[in-house]
Amino acid sequence: MSAQQFRAWRKEMGLKQKDAADLLGLKKRMIQYYEKGNRDGKAVTIPKSVRLACYALTIGISDFDGTTVSKFDPAIFKDKTDDQGEEQGVEQQPFSQEDETPPSDQGAL
């Protein structure tokens, strides 16, 4: 995933940099480095764990504790603002992994 692809992913998901950082378990500064593609003039590679987390969010998975998957609805972030223009929080619904059919598309990240 290139810096441009990462930024396009975030924007397509309707996430601010802070929201993406919170959902991915990162600092906002790391999101900025990933989108810029470098840190202090040195190339920054987006780790596989972050790429996979981006994919999980894209298909609606916000967390997995080993047995339970928590759903993520990206529509919550799109065009949802409070009175001050801030985006609303994530709504998550835990459900059993057995209830979810694994995605059939195993395409490249």
Side-chain angles (χ1 to χ4, degrees):
M1 176 181 267
S2 70
Q4 295 80 13
Q5 289 170 320
F6 182 78
R7 182 180 175 107
W9 167 82
R10 179 182 61 80
K11 290 187 168 276
E12 177 64 28
M13 294 291 289
L15 301 172
K16 293 182 179 181
Q17 287 181 336
K18 174 70 171 126
D19 297 325
D22 290 344
L23 288 167
L24 294 169
L26 301 169
K27 302 273 187 200
K28 180 181 171 186
R29 190 70 182 138
M30 288 308 300
I31 300 299
Q32 294 169 338
Y33 291 143
Y34 291 157
E35 290 187 0
K36 188 175 179 184
N38 68 67
R39 177 180 180 180
D40 300 327
K42 296 180 182 178
V44 173
T45 302
I46 299 169
K48 185 176 188 175
S49 58
V50 172
R51 296 190 317 260
L52 289 170
C54 291
Y55 178 71
L57 289 167
T58 300
I59 63 171
I61 298 171
S62 66
D63 198 9
F64 179 64
D65 68 5
T67 57
T68 304
V69 175
S70 296
K71 288 185 177 182
F72 169 70
D73 182 5
I76 293 169
F77 286 99
K78 293 183 180 179
D79 301 319
K80 299 265 185 169
T81 57
D82 65 17
D83 294 337
Q84 289 78 38
E86 295 296 321
E87 293 178 347
Q88 298 295 314
V90 176
E91 291 180 13
Q92 298 179 3
Q93 285 186 322
F95 64 96
S96 171
Q97 183 178 4
E98 296 162 356
D99 294 339
E100 183 68 10
T101 305
S104 60
D105 178 20
Q106 299 297 323
L109 298 178

